[in-house]
Amino acid sequence: MRITARVDYAVRAALELAAVAPHPLTSERIATAQGIPSRFLQAILGDLQHARLVTSQRGRDGGYRLALPPSEISIARVMRVEQGFLAEVHGQRPENLEYPGSATSLASVWVAARESYRRVLDEVTLADVVAGKLPGHVAELVELEGAWRSFGDTGSAG
């Protein structure tokens, strides 16, 4: 799994807005709270606005706010704004792939991996993360032995 800085920043900005919903936040407050470069954040907020997940208001009491309640915005929905599909192989959707010979079933592996990814990211909302209360099946995954270790780790988190 690879999460780009842009996707990470977009999700963190959305979470910052979710934490104060329905009140607005300035981009400066979001950038400072989350340690996001201001210019980068402006582009991300523009993307989220274009996707109708965020609205903005000018003026003294202006700023950015979520266009929907945090409980209606999944992490995957924010991610898709910045990266498109959750799973691609060489720019193609896994269900559109065909492999020859011994790799014939590989597309099925990619489809299954994507579905597993969706079962977490489509079902966890901004409200869940802000509240620190993940859906049961996601919380169970976090508690699995080895969940916090990278492949090849000998015990360190990562």
Side-chain angles (χ1 to χ4, degrees):
M1 175 174 84
R2 183 169 184 259
I3 307 293
T4 65
R6 190 172 186 100
V7 168
D8 180 54
Y9 292 162
V11 172
R12 290 167 45 203
L15 287 168
E16 201 63 32
L17 292 170
V20 299
H23 305 290
L25 283 179
T26 64
S27 62
E28 292 81 21
R29 281 197 54 199
I30 298 168
T32 300
Q34 289 298 319
I36 301 171
S38 191
R39 259 199 238 135
F40 211 178
L41 180 60
Q42 287 297 326
I44 288 167
L45 290 169
D47 293 344
L48 293 173
Q49 242 182 312
H50 184 72
R52 295 191 170 122
L53 292 181
V54 167
T55 62
S56 66
Q57 177 180 328
R58 295 183 185 264
R60 198 179 103 213
D61 295 325
Y64 294 89
R65 68 182 69 188
L66 295 176
L68 301 167
S71 61
E72 293 180 23
I73 302 174
S74 70
I75 298 299
R77 191 166 177 187
V78 176
M79 290 176 71
R80 285 183 182 107
V81 170
E82 294 302 331
Q83 75 181 31
F85 301 119
L86 289 180
E88 290 183 342
V89 179
H90 300 288
Q92 293 186 51
R93 299 178 84 165
E95 68 272 15
N96 296 333
L97 298 171
E98 289 185 29
Y99 293 103
S102 59
T104 300
S105 297
L106 185 56
S108 296
V109 174
W110 300 147
V111 168
R114 177 187 59 193
E115 183 57 26
S116 177
Y117 204 43
R118 281 180 179 164
R119 286 187 182 191
V120 173
L121 299 173
D122 273 330
E123 295 178 26
V124 175
T125 67
L126 298 177
D128 295 331
V129 177
V130 168
K133 188 166 171 42
L134 301 176
H137 70 287
V138 176
E140 288 173 13
L141 292 172
V142 171
E143 296 303 321
L144 288 174
E145 184 179 337
W148 289 88
R149 287 194 320 259
S150 295
F151 182 75
D153 276 357
T154 56
S156 62

